[in-house]
Amino acid sequence: MQDVTDLPFMRVLARRGAPDWFVTEYFRVHPDSRLNGYILRSITENETGRPIFAQMIGRDIPSLVRTAAELAKHPIAGIDLNLGCPAPIVCRKDAGGGLLRDPEMVNRILGTLRDAIPGRFTVKTRIGYGDASEFPRLLEIFSSHDIDGLTIHGRTVGERYQTPVHPDCVA
């Protein structure tokens, strides 16, 4: 979660009983982006003893590939692509959950990233942008790309956090 799951948060959790792995806040990726130093500290100064996945968010394929290569130079367990953020400012840029409006773009991004990422590649997603009926098509796309892990937020982007999850989709 942006502005929450930073290095101090990880350290607090590790003292109380760390999870099996951590995921960074997302690195915003676009043509002019560079690795955010504050988020990068979650990787380079991580003394929790737990693996950490670097999370990216964006839609520009060359920039995503470049950023994945830069992140792979650091001690990460893998790279995660955020397709679940429902923040309006993110969705207006067709990133995060906003990408779910364009399944073919999701397909192109996943195919390119799977080929470009040498290690583990995971995806965080919602079940669709506007309706749960979008989920079967998204699952087809995810299953066609040898994704190492899929984290499913059981609501659509439009439902944000206000409705019950769709148990039939996350089962």
Side-chain angles (χ1 to χ4, degrees):
M1 292 186 305
Q2 202 64 18
D3 299 324
V4 175
T5 56
D6 57 5
L7 183 60
F9 177 80
M10 291 176 189
R11 288 176 174 157
V12 167
L13 283 185
R15 285 195 300 268
R16 305 276 187 264
D20 292 337
W21 68 87
F22 286 105
V23 179
T24 66
E25 299 174 71
Y26 55 71
F27 288 91
R28 290 175 179 90
V29 179
H30 50 82
D32 299 322
S33 65
R34 298 291 172 256
L35 296 182
N36 178 301
Y38 183 77
I39 300 172
L40 193 59
R41 286 184 56 224
S42 298
I43 299 167
T44 60
E45 298 177 28
N46 182 347
E47 299 169 357
T48 65
R50 301 294 193 203
I52 187 160
F53 281 77
Q55 187 177 95
M56 303 186 303
I57 194 167
R59 70 170 282 114
D60 183 74
I61 293 175
S63 300
L64 288 164
V65 169
R66 171 185 43 82
T67 301
E70 291 170 1
L71 288 167
K73 296 175 185 174
H74 297 279
I76 57 173
I79 294 176
D80 184 75
L81 180 65
N82 183 316
L83 297 177
C85 180
I89 192 167
V90 171
C91 290
R92 278 193 300 272
K93 295 176 183 178
D94 291 327
L99 268 170
L100 298 178
R101 289 181 289 218
D102 187 352
E104 291 314 310
M105 182 64 168
V106 170
N107 190 38
R108 285 194 303 277
I109 289 171
L110 294 182
T112 303
L113 285 178
R114 179 65 280 178
D115 290 343
I117 295 172
R120 294 184 68 194
F121 176 41
T122 61
V123 175
K124 171 187 170 186
T125 189
R126 287 186 175 249
I127 60 171
Y129 186 81
D131 191 273
S133 66
E134 300 166 23
F135 195 54
R137 173 66 182 126
L138 293 169
L139 275 180
E140 286 176 21
I141 292 168
F142 298 138
S143 66
S144 71
H145 289 293
D146 195 26
I147 304 294
D148 295 303
L150 185 64
T151 301
I152 302 168
H153 182 118
R155 296 177 182 94
T156 67
V157 172
E159 292 169 334
R160 297 181 53 92
Y161 302 97
Q162 288 108 12
T163 67
V165 298
H166 296 266
D168 53 317
C169 293
V170 294

